[in-house]
Amino acid sequence: MMQAEILYDLCNRLQKEHISVAFETALAFPWKVIHRMTECADLFLVDFKMFDNEKHKEYTGTENTLIKENLKKLVNYRPIMIRLPIIKGINDEIENAALGRNIKSVEFLPYHDFGVEKAKHVGVNQQMFEAPDEKQLELLKEVYRSKKIDVVE
């Protein structure tokens, strides 16, 4: 989305060729950029970390107010698949399951530490977390299913 004009042109060309278009985004852009992409996208894959603004800021370094505002608007335009990285004790609580209407599906991405060694090789000290408990993950899945949201396995 940082290259919105080029992306929009490409998206339109693909649509004219009857090729489906999906955007993977964290929605951390001005609404006017995202809104324009709704004209040519078929689906949005939204990487969403957590609903709590303070926790989001603590773990990502930025607030999520813009992201949540964009998500509320986007549900009125296109189907959305939410991709949630799940980290034990950070965002695996039921309160984080606050997604509402027009969400097509949710895909859980349980935390793994695959990138830790890679980060060390480039001089980055990456914080370690824990993978979520299977029981808690199943509970979260049931919460979303009860809201009639498909859970991608």
Side-chain angles (χ1 to χ4, degrees), residues 1 8 27 29-41 44 70 73-74 77-78:
M1 300 263 178
Y8 183 75
L27 296 179
F29 295 93
W31 172 247
K32 68 180 184 175
V33 173
I34 295 165
H35 182 254
R36 185 152 189 226
M37 297 308 158
T38 64
E39 297 171 15
C40 60
F44 280 80
N70 286 336
K73 293 173 186 175
L74 186 59
Y77 291 89
R78 290 288 176 258

Side-chain angles (χ1 to χ4, degrees), residues 7-146:
L7 189 59
Y8 183 75
D9 289 341
L10 176 61
C11 183
N12 278 320
R13 288 180 188 181
L14 291 169
Q15 288 285 322
K16 286 177 186 170
E17 296 294 325
H18 306 287
I19 298 172
S20 294
V21 176
F23 288 115
E24 183 173 358
T25 177
L27 296 179
F29 295 93
W31 172 247
K32 68 180 184 175
V33 173
I34 295 165
H35 182 254
R36 185 152 189 226
M37 297 308 158
T38 64
E39 297 171 15
C40 60
D42 300 298
L43 173 69
F44 280 80
L45 304 167
V46 177
D47 294 327
F48 195 83
K49 314 283 186 290
M50 62 191 70
F51 284 88
D52 183 277
N53 192 46
E54 290 304 313
K55 271 184 146 182
H56 192 278
K57 189 173 182 178
E58 177 183 348
Y59 290 102
T60 69
T62 62
E63 294 186 359
N64 65 358
T65 306
L66 176 64
I67 296 166
K68 291 190 292 189
E69 287 173 4
N70 286 336
L71 184 58
K72 285 179 189 176
K73 293 173 186 175
L74 186 59
V75 296
N76 296 309
Y77 291 89
R78 290 288 176 258
I80 299 169
M81 173 189 238
I82 301 293
R83 302 177 75 225
L84 287 167
I86 304 296
I87 302 170
K88 183 177 182 175
I90 307 297
N91 68 343
D92 63 343
E93 66 275 353
I94 298 303
E95 294 77 26
N96 199 48
L99 295 174
R101 63 185 177 79
N102 293 336
I103 301 298
K104 179 179 174 145
S105 61
V106 173
E107 179 181 9
F108 293 113
L109 306 170
Y111 173 78
H112 59 75
D113 61 2
F114 299 158
V116 173
E117 284 302 313
K118 195 183 298 185
K120 285 180 186 176
H121 290 293
V122 295
V124 174
N125 187 15
Q126 186 172 334
Q127 184 176 353
M128 292 286 293
F129 297 101
E130 288 184 55
D133 295 326
E134 282 300 317
K135 191 174 181 179
Q136 186 66 13
L137 210 48
E138 287 304 314
L139 185 59
L140 283 170
K141 289 176 184 179
E142 287 307 312
V143 169
Y144 284 104
R145 288 180 181 126
S146 74

